[in-house]
Amino acid sequence: MKKEIRKCIALCIATGMTAGLVACGGDGGTAASEPPGTAVADNKENIPSSVPGELPDAGTSVHYPIQGAEKLTFGMALANEWSDRFDSWTDLPIGRAVQEKTGVELEMVHVADNKAMNLLLASPDLPDIILFNFQNNYSGGEIKAIEDGVIFPMDAEFLQQNAPDYWEVLNSNENIMKGSTNQQNQVFGFTFIMGDDKIKTGYGLTVRDDWCEQLGLDVAQIDTAEEFHDMLSRFKSELNVEIPMTFTSKNLEELLDYGTITSPFGLVTRDVYQKEGTVHIGYAEKEYKDVLAYLNQLYNEGLLDANFSTNDAATVTANMLSGTSGVSTGALGGGIGTWLQTNRDVEGYSLAGLHNLVENDGDKSLYGFYKTDVIGKTAVITNSCENKELAAQFLNYGYTDEGHMLYVFGVEGESYEMVDGEPQYTEYIMHNPDGLTVKKAMSEYTLSWDNGPFVQDLRQKLQSASMPEQLAAWDVWDDTTVEEYFLPKIAIAQEDLAEYSSLRSDIKTYVNEMTIKFVRGTESLDHFDEYLATLESMGVSRLTEIIQAATDEYYAR
Amino acid sequence: MKKADNIRQAKRQAETGKRSFGIRLEKDLKRNYGAYLLFLPVALYYILFAYKPMYGILVAFKDFTPARGVWESPWTSGYGFGHFISFFKSFYFTRVLKNTLIISFSTLLVTFPAPIVLALLLNEVRGTKFKRTIQTLSYMPHFISLVVICSMLRLFVADNGIVTGFLKTLGIVDGTYSLLSMENYFVPIYVFSGLWQTVGWNAIIYMSALSGIDQGLYEAARIDGAGKFKQMWHVTLPGLMPTIVMLLILRIGQIMSIGHEKIILLYNEEIYSTADVISSFVYRKGLLEYNWGFSTAVGLFNSVINFMLVLMANRISRKTIDMGLW
Amino acid sequence: MRYKSKGYTVFTVFNYIFLGLVGFACLYPLYYVVIASFSDPVKLISHDGMLLFPLEEFTLDGYRMVFSNRLVMSGYRNTLIVLFVGLCFNMVLTVMGAYVISLRKLMLRKPFTILIIVTMYFNGGMIPTYLNVSSLGMIDSLWSLIIPGAVTTSNLLIMRSAFMAVPESLSEAAEIDGAGHRQILLQVMLPLVKATLAVMVLYYGVAHWNAWFNASIYLRSAGKFPLQLVLRNILIEGLNNDMLTDVGSADNPQAVQLLKYSLIVVSTVPIMCIYPLLQKFFEKGVMLGAVKG
């Protein structure tokens, strides 16, 4: 309740200021006016009802194109998707359009990769804006980068004045706000935001549908550990399938960490999760033993790839395409999508998504693949920037209606058309005349193939994963209660960071090593208690403690 | 000539007693200014590109982030030795150190003498065409990128690979699994594939050294009635000795440095117990998370040991055969 | 040949056979790569045993993909520029430096040598080196690939030992004739160490050819990237299409395999040709007696 009131106030302030500052053009808009199914629509219930629907016109204080704007420098890593055809991002249709629409001229500073970006950050003169995945590629993430004096931290007042649309998106959902701020409630940048819960999912088991049909099995009915086992063994005994289930050791980690196969044994996930605010670590729980025993049984019966520990992804793909294997695992695009696309001319070849394994028929699985609301690259304003207000106004554009369409779909008439009021990617994107892949074609007109300062749109992913089997698999994989257990985007306290990463790395090494040994039977499961004891001696409690503290801080923030 | 020079110098020293270093240096500079002038660009290069950035070693003692820079970053805990302590105290420290040494010494033992033998054998070939062909072929694996070499290796030692098949006919393995999923096979695979990759390329330097041996010495040996094998032993090998010694000392100075790329391309979690080395450990721990301080600290630890080994090797070699790097 | 014993004849036979086997074992990987670059990639993965002929369908798709990238041609050009200009710097500096620290009479020879050797083990690391190059204004310039790596210490030491192998009497004789260091180096020493010079050209040349890392941190424009960095990026882009990719379903996983092999052929064959050209320098033994006379 309190939260809502605060949001109300914030919105009112933003609105009031706007009215007072700029005579607003009608072309902008706010998230509130977005059509259903896009952007923050899924968070509709969070938007205070007191905001009337006809607000949009008054909700914008930044008028695009910005008049008399200076030049801004923009640091970004070169993307292989377009660097073979263009010298600079500003030569791309998206780059040209962004400059034209915002009225801000950009001067790009391109570096070759993440390492080079780290080196750029070590230099005294930084570009005004940097788009970079600090979370993964800068020790300590954005929060440390604020402390280091790289990032200019933004407060509420600054954002309300210069980036009202972004401010509104931040306030639409608590997780978005917390995912974009540090412990002192300073906003570190213009983040990439998942506009719909469904975008956060899209990973699971994939099975040869035609084989199941041949055996009289209904794929939709297979969801318990027993049924899964029976299916695999019938593949082997009745269809003489050489390797019923193929995967790599990385896939095994995914299956366990995304909870794809752990639910029947009462284990949420092998990874870290939370239950009503209390942190648990799956690999240190005794239920993990049952998961391992199950996998070990499958392995001993010859149902799993005997060489999964040395397999690479190419082998898995080859097995799935050549009929050597009937089950594997992967994501919507890279797994099932790629295999179907490659074998589209093969008669009778069909794939289907398999429900995450559960205890009882028809259950939702406890856990599943899921992403945080805020993820990936963030566009930050650096302290070297001399006109921070302008930089904020420029970056705000991605969160307006118009900017949203530009970043996600590109230029109307070129990269998308409006069909029945819905944007549709053109043939140029989906079936490029020059033979460019979808990703490469998209990279010319959008940033939605990657990350950027805007809200990601479900319609983008629906259209890029457009095969009916893909869409069906997506729905099946999505049948989870992962939201209950998912750990939000917590921030480990700076003083714990070194200890945390050291503990995590050693423990992860040990867990992965032992997991493979238990599954393959080179280590007997009778030693599972010793495994738990070793984890304890390696400091798994301390690790839990550090994560718990960060989680507490997150919920208290 | 030289003798006379030495005597004169000794006399001069005796005359003046112990002359100060400065005066002697001044004389030397005057006499050999041409040589020092030649060295100037090289000295500038080393000062500018090797010594000027050397303050970066401090990163090993700091909680370093690029944006703060070397000077501004705070010292780590433990009086600046935080990264070292965390490395030594790591659960896996002894394991990765042990594996590094085992892999390194086996590699040295196998891959160091092999190119010398290859060069000697090639030297005995009279047909120029055959010799050139073999030599050109032998250095080809050096040019194939590691990624491809390793993916081929994985095929060769897979459950249906040719190496596995060969071992199976010998009754050593049963051929159900890839050799890379068995702990005992990692070191041999690593070492012998390394031999294959480097033997031809490393023989080149010896081939060039062979061509530098005075042909008059062979003539003299033949006149003394030495057969081919004796010539090899008494002329060729001694002729290669300075090269061998220099390369061996340099090689000993790399004992601690096994690159992480090949290890990572070949290993898997199951055989960490024999395959995980310092560099792959640091790769997982430091580089992936851009933990500059930690990886610099471990690098420094390796460098110090390597440098001490070189000092030692050089000293031993100076004392025993009067050859060395300095 | 009157000095050949029976044992030596047997040895010769085995020697030829053995070297033939070594040659075959070393040829095979390249042969495999070439064959694989024309083969159906799915069949390739499931193929057992030795690969001797291209697997159906014969395809040129890999090469088409490589050469459709406009950066490949500019990559060749940049690499060649760096290779030739870089080699000039490498050779001049290495020869000068190695000659000086090979002079036994030089008082500062030992400290110089040790100071140089120290740099093999201790360096400032990536960031200070980058800032240094940056402060010299070489960012996004091909000079950044030439100057900072102008001398490789191990090569310098190899060169030095070649100079030291030349009998001192030769340079002393020249000195008496009134030759300065420059003349001694150019006219007496260099002709005697031709074989090592050839090795230096090979080592530095191949290093330039294979280098990509410095380019990835110092260069900003893709148009200046050397070949290896371009190829690496193509390869990484292919590999990035992994199982967790979001956008996709149209990207062909087999293409990546093909690409990998075609890239190797495109990038390694040219540099392999350099060696046969240098080989003749290793052939003729030196007749020091003749030089002396």
Side-chain angles (χ1 to χ4, degrees):
Chain A
M1 216 47 235
K2 218 171 166 186
K3 202 172 66 201
E4 301 215 332
I5 293 167
R6 203 181 62 209
K7 251 177 241 166
C8 248
I9 294 171
L11 263 178
C12 291
I13 293 172
T15 320
M17 290 201 148
T18 320
L21 280 173
V22 195
C24 185
D27 52 310
T30 64
S33 73
E34 287 188 328
T38 74
V40 285
D42 66 305
N43 301 313
K44 250 185 306 192
E45 67 273 14
N46 290 339
I47 296 173
S49 51
S50 60
V51 179
E54 53 271 21
L55 183 74
D57 270 28
T60 324
S61 72
V62 186
H63 179 59
Y64 298 104
I66 301 161
Q67 296 301 318
E70 301 159 41
K71 206 183 211 181
L72 290 175
T73 50
F74 194 158
M76 183 195 277
L78 282 172
N80 296 317
E81 278 72 14
W82 53 259
S83 68
D84 60 336
R85 285 159 287 137
F86 299 88
D87 290 326
S88 162
W89 192 68
T90 43
D91 296 342
L92 295 160
I94 168 85
R96 287 202 305 262
V98 166
Q99 292 182 89
E100 193 190 311
K101 299 279 185 189
T102 58
V104 176
E105 193 189 336
L106 296 175
E107 187 187 320
M108 301 306 292
V109 178
H110 284 303
V111 294
D113 55 22
N114 292 331
K115 193 167 269 166
M117 187 62 92
N118 260 272
L119 294 170
L120 180 68
L121 291 173
S123 328
D125 279 323
L126 294 176
D128 299 327
I129 299 168
I130 290 177
L131 179 65
F132 184 50
N133 188 339
F134 285 87
Q135 199 63 43
N136 289 350
N137 302 311
Y138 187 85
S139 162
E142 289 96 348
I143 294 174
K144 185 76 166 72
I146 291 182
E147 279 182 32
D148 291 346
V150 174
I151 295 180
F152 165 69
M154 298 173 287
D155 56 22
E157 196 188 341
F158 178 84
L159 283 171
Q160 281 158 12
Q161 279 182 11
N162 299 296
D165 299 282
Y166 179 51
W167 180 244
E168 195 173 332
V169 172
L170 285 180
N171 280 300
S172 66
N173 179 318
E174 197 185 4
N175 286 329
I176 295 177
M177 180 61 99
K178 285 181 179 172
S180 310
T181 51
N182 64 4
Q183 291 95 331
Q184 288 77 47
N185 290 317
Q186 293 169 309
V187 177
F188 49 67
F190 292 77
T191 50
F192 183 56
I193 293 161
M194 299 289 107
D196 190 297
D197 282 340
K198 183 135 188 179
I199 305 179
K200 303 174 192 166
T201 64
Y203 178 96
L205 292 164
T206 300
V207 61
R208 278 291 289 271
D209 196 21
D210 49 328
W211 289 0
C212 288
E213 215 167 294
Q214 219 174 313
L215 295 173
L217 291 167
D218 181 4
V219 174
Q221 295 302 319
I222 303 171
D223 58 1
T224 65
E226 218 164 289
E227 286 160 350
F228 185 66
H229 168 257
D230 291 346
M231 178 186 73
L232 289 178
S233 53
R234 285 186 66 191
F235 277 177
K236 191 174 181 77
S237 60
E238 293 174 38
L239 299 177
N240 288 320
V241 175
E242 195 185 327
I243 306 166
M245 181 170 174
T246 182
F247 54 100
T248 65
S249 58
K250 191 164 159 270
N251 290 149
L252 179 66
E253 280 175 47
E254 291 161 5
L255 289 173
L256 295 166
D257 288 346
Y258 303 156
T260 315
I261 53 173
T262 56
S263 297
F265 311 96
L267 184 71
V268 175
T269 158
R270 186 183 73 160
D271 207 0
V272 183
Y273 64 95
Q274 58 84 27
K275 205 168 172 180
E276 284 150 12
T278 312
V279 169
H280 298 262
I281 300 186
Y283 55 70
E285 294 184 339
K286 60 181 190 317
E287 287 85 0
Y288 187 41
K289 185 178 181 181
D290 301 329
V291 181
L292 291 169
Y294 175 67
L295 288 170
N296 178 239
Q297 183 203 346
L298 295 184
Y299 187 86
N300 287 338
E301 291 176 22
L303 304 178
L304 304 185
D305 200 326
N307 282 299
F308 74 87
S309 63
T310 54
N311 270 354
D312 53 13
T315 314
V316 169
T317 295
N319 285 344
M320 283 307 282
L321 294 178
S322 65
T324 313
S325 301
V327 180
S328 189
T329 176
L332 206 51
I336 185 169
T338 311
W339 299 329
L340 279 172
Q341 185 74 20
T342 315
N343 262 9
R344 61 187 174 277
D345 299 329
V346 177
E347 186 112 3
Y349 184 88
S350 71
L351 295 172
L354 197 68
H355 196 279
N356 288 354
L357 301 189
V358 292
E359 195 176 353
N360 302 307
D361 270 321
D363 280 0
K364 278 174 181 289
S365 67
L366 296 171
Y367 205 74
F369 176 68
Y370 208 61
K371 290 177 185 165
T372 48
D373 291 88
V374 173
I375 199 166
K377 293 177 187 166
T378 303
V380 304
I381 302 174
T382 67
N383 274 320
S384 309
C385 179
E386 277 172 10
N387 193 345
K388 300 188 173 72
E389 290 75 19
L390 178 65
Q393 288 163 14
F394 167 74
L395 290 171
N396 177 62
Y397 182 67
Y399 304 90
T400 64
D401 267 3
E402 198 187 85
H404 174 79
M405 290 305 283
L406 177 59
Y407 278 116
V408 175
F409 292 99
V411 180
E412 186 169 2
E414 294 180 37
S415 61
Y416 77 96
E417 313 266 9
M418 292 305 281
V419 180
D420 305 329
E422 287 289 313
Q424 286 280 332
Y425 287 112
T426 56
E427 285 293 294
Y428 184 84
I429 303 290
M430 298 311 289
H431 304 100
N432 187 275
D434 303 326
L436 296 178
T437 60
V438 173
K439 205 171 173 186
K440 280 190 159 188
M442 267 190 194
S443 75
E444 293 178 6
Y445 279 94
T446 74
L447 268 183
S448 55
W449 64 279
D450 189 28
N451 308 163
F454 57 94
V455 177
Q456 179 65 309
D457 195 319
L458 178 61
R459 292 171 297 180
Q460 188 268 352
K461 209 176 166 185
L462 280 172
Q463 288 187 40
S464 51
S466 57
M467 278 180 279
E469 294 94 330
Q470 271 179 301
L471 296 178
W474 196 356
D475 285 335
V476 170
W477 294 338
D478 198 6
D479 189 29
T480 69
T481 58
V482 58
E483 298 91 334
E484 274 177 44
Y485 300 102
F486 194 66
L487 196 68
K489 194 183 169 218
I490 55 169
I492 303 291
Q494 291 298 329
E495 63 269 21
D496 291 336
L497 210 54
E499 192 186 2
Y500 167 76
S501 71
S502 172
L503 280 174
R504 199 189 50 167
S505 148
D506 276 2
I507 291 177
K508 208 176 154 210
T509 298
Y510 181 69
V511 170
N512 284 338
E513 188 178 339
M514 292 309 287
T515 298
I516 294 186
K517 287 186 169 175
F518 283 135
V519 171
R520 291 195 58 203
T522 34
E523 186 78 58
S524 160
L525 270 169
D526 299 341
H527 296 149
F528 189 78
D529 289 337
E530 281 140 60
Y531 155 85
L532 288 181
T534 310
L535 279 181
E536 199 49 51
S537 75
M538 287 175 89
V540 75
S541 325
R542 175 64 190 138
L543 185 65
T544 318
E545 209 176 286
I546 293 174
I547 301 173
Q548 184 69 58
T551 310
D552 292 345
E553 183 276 327
Y554 181 90
Y555 287 121
R557 204 189 294 165
Chain B
M1 196 65 230
K2 196 176 164 193
K3 216 177 193 179
D5 218 50
N6 282 347
I7 294 169
R8 227 176 298 139
Q9 217 163 347
K11 249 187 205 163
R12 227 179 292 136
Q13 265 179 17
E15 270 170 36
T16 47
K18 277 206 177 161
R19 277 224 187 153
S20 78
F21 178 76
I23 293 170
R24 278 186 294 139
L25 185 62
E26 206 183 312
K27 280 229 152 134
D28 187 59
L29 283 174
K30 255 186 205 149
R31 190 175 342 167
N32 291 310
Y33 78 96
Y36 285 108
L37 216 57
L38 277 178
F39 196 68
L40 195 63
V42 184
L44 277 178
Y45 168 82
Y46 274 99
I47 291 169
L48 199 54
F49 291 101
Y51 281 97
K52 194 181 150 209
M54 211 168 277
Y55 66 93
I57 289 176
L58 289 178
V59 169
F61 306 95
K62 296 210 161 192
D63 278 326
F64 178 82
T65 42
R68 279 219 179 175
V70 175
W71 306 113
E72 299 297 315
S73 290
W75 298 98
T76 59
S77 54
Y79 306 100
F81 284 90
H83 295 305
F84 294 92
I85 295 169
S86 123
F87 178 48
F88 298 144
K89 269 176 44 185
S90 161
F91 189 74
Y92 289 113
F93 174 68
T94 43
R95 181 166 95 176
V96 294
L97 183 65
K98 189 189 87 193
N99 287 344
T100 304
L101 292 175
I102 289 176
I103 291 178
S104 215
F105 275 109
S106 334
T107 308
L108 178 67
L109 227 57
V110 174
T111 60
F112 188 77
I116 304 171
V117 174
L118 181 65
L120 288 176
L121 292 180
L122 277 170
N123 195 42
E124 294 305 317
V125 170
R126 285 286 149 249
T128 322
K129 252 191 192 153
F130 182 76
K131 186 170 159 184
R132 282 192 176 191
T133 314
I134 294 298
Q135 219 190 317
T136 309
L137 291 181
S138 70
Y139 85 152
M140 281 186 169
H142 176 81
F143 287 93
I144 313 269
S145 84
L146 212 49
V147 180
V148 173
I149 285 280
C150 290
S151 67
M152 288 174 63
L153 279 174
R154 293 162 69 106
L155 287 181
F156 292 162
V157 301
D159 50 340
N160 52 7
I162 45 172
V163 176
T164 319
F166 179 67
L167 293 182
K168 197 176 163 185
T169 44
L170 294 181
I172 300 175
V173 294
D174 59 7
T176 0
Y177 306 112
S178 161
L179 299 185
L180 280 173
S181 62
M182 288 176 261
E183 287 168 355
N184 298 339
Y185 287 91
F186 184 79
V187 178
I189 290 172
Y190 183 93
V191 170
F192 285 101
S193 62
L195 175 68
W196 177 54
Q197 281 173 276
T198 58
V199 68
W201 178 253
N202 289 345
I204 289 173
I205 179 88
Y206 296 111
M207 294 303 288
S208 93
L210 281 173
S211 74
I213 295 173
D214 189 346
Q215 295 299 304
L217 294 175
Y218 288 105
E219 203 74 45
R222 242 172 289 171
I223 290 164
D224 289 348
K228 277 283 180 184
F229 291 120
K230 277 214 164 144
Q231 286 175 33
M232 206 195 283
W233 190 252
H234 291 291
V235 181
T236 316
L237 215 51
L240 287 182
M241 221 43 196
T243 313
I244 295 175
V245 169
M246 175 182 63
L247 292 182
L248 183 63
I249 295 176
L250 287 178
R251 186 66 189 71
I252 286 174
Q254 293 166 3
I255 287 287
M256 297 295 286
S257 5
I258 301 176
H260 65 264
E261 292 96 344
K262 189 175 167 189
I263 298 274
I264 285 175
L265 287 167
L266 286 180
Y267 76 178
N268 60 72
E269 289 89 346
E270 196 173 11
I271 53 167
Y272 273 169
S273 58
T274 53
D276 199 15
V277 297
I278 293 177
S279 62
S280 54
F281 173 76
V282 171
Y283 176 81
R284 288 200 309 275
K285 209 176 172 110
L287 288 185
L288 284 180
E289 292 167 5
Y290 287 87
N291 191 341
W292 299 90
F294 185 77
S295 32
T296 310
V298 177
L300 186 61
F301 168 75
N302 287 343
S303 294
V304 168
I305 294 187
N306 280 337
F307 190 61
M308 289 192 316
L309 286 172
V310 164
L311 291 178
M312 223 165 65
N314 192 62
R315 179 161 224 170
I316 293 171
S317 140
R318 268 268 164 258
K319 285 231 163 111
T320 49
I321 49 175
D322 196 30
M323 283 184 209
L325 286 183
W326 63 85
Chain C
M1 276 286 192
R2 60 204 158 109
Y3 302 106
K4 270 189 190 163
S5 63
K6 210 175 198 174
Y8 188 71
T9 316
V10 176
F11 164 78
T12 307
V13 173
F14 278 105
N15 192 17
Y16 272 73
I17 295 173
F18 177 74
L19 289 176
L21 286 174
V22 170
F24 175 76
C26 291
L27 173 67
Y28 186 69
L30 185 70
Y31 181 76
Y32 178 92
V33 168
V34 173
I35 294 295
S37 73
F38 294 114
S39 298
D40 184 319
V42 173
K43 293 222 181 82
L44 189 68
I45 292 173
S46 33
H47 182 79
D48 288 357
M50 293 280 260
L51 185 68
L52 293 176
F53 305 101
L55 300 165
E56 302 287 321
E57 320 280 317
F58 183 85
T59 169
L60 285 171
D61 284 357
Y63 294 96
R64 218 167 282 142
M65 276 186 281
V66 173
F67 284 104
S68 69
N69 190 318
R70 71 175 176 132
L71 294 180
V72 170
M73 290 327 273
S74 69
Y76 270 121
R77 192 195 61 224
N78 295 331
T79 296
L80 287 177
I81 293 173
V82 172
L83 181 68
F84 285 114
V85 180
L87 261 182
C88 298
F89 277 88
N90 295 146
M91 294 309 288
V92 170
L93 285 176
T94 306
V95 164
M96 291 199 308
Y99 171 72
V100 176
I101 55 169
S102 76
L103 294 171
R104 289 181 175 84
K105 60 187 173 189
L106 216 60
M107 240 181 88
L108 292 182
R109 180 180 75 107
K110 204 167 155 181
F112 280 172
T113 313
I114 292 175
L115 281 175
I116 284 172
I117 288 173
V118 165
T119 65
M120 290 177 81
Y121 299 94
F122 301 100
N123 60 66
M126 204 192 301
I127 289 179
T129 308
Y130 169 86
L131 292 176
N132 189 26
V133 171
S134 167
S135 71
L136 295 169
M138 288 195 276
I139 294 299
D140 202 25
S141 147
L142 289 183
W143 287 112
S144 65
L145 311 184
I146 295 168
I147 306 292
V151 183
T152 305
T153 303
S154 57
N155 290 352
L156 187 75
L157 294 176
I158 291 171
M159 197 68 232
R160 179 190 75 142
S161 78
F163 283 131
M164 290 179 93
V166 177
E168 263 180 300
S169 52
L170 289 178
S171 54
E172 276 165 7
E175 213 169 341
I176 288 167
D177 292 345
H181 285 291
R182 205 165 53 96
Q183 281 110 319
I184 296 177
L185 176 58
L186 290 177
Q187 284 156 19
V188 181
M189 303 302 258
L190 285 189
L192 291 172
V193 295
K194 265 190 210 146
T196 313
L197 288 177
V199 173
M200 289 295 108
V201 170
L202 191 68
Y203 280 12
Y204 278 121
V206 170
H208 279 302
W209 185 270
N210 286 335
W212 58 269
F213 185 75
N214 281 349
S216 82
I217 62 176
Y218 296 140
L219 297 185
R220 298 265 168 88
S221 347
K224 289 177 184 161
F225 285 178
L227 184 67
Q228 296 289 351
L229 184 60
V230 173
L231 300 185
R232 202 183 144 80
N233 286 341
I234 298 178
L235 197 62
I236 287 177
E237 184 206 337
L239 294 176
N240 270 350
N241 268 323
D242 64 7
M243 299 286 183
L244 282 179
T245 187
D246 266 350
V247 178
S249 77
D251 302 356
N252 190 338
Q254 302 138 299
V256 179
Q257 293 298 316
L258 258 185
L259 199 58
K260 191 164 78 178
Y261 295 115
S262 315
L263 285 176
I264 309 267
V265 176
V266 168
S267 64
T268 51
V269 169
I271 191 68
M272 278 189 194
C273 303
I274 176 179
Y275 184 58
L277 298 177
L278 293 170
Q279 233 170 0
K280 65 167 185 276
F281 291 104
F282 304 156
E283 297 285 335
K284 282 182 211 129
V286 207
M287 295 292 279
L288 286 179
V291 178
K292 260 186 247 178

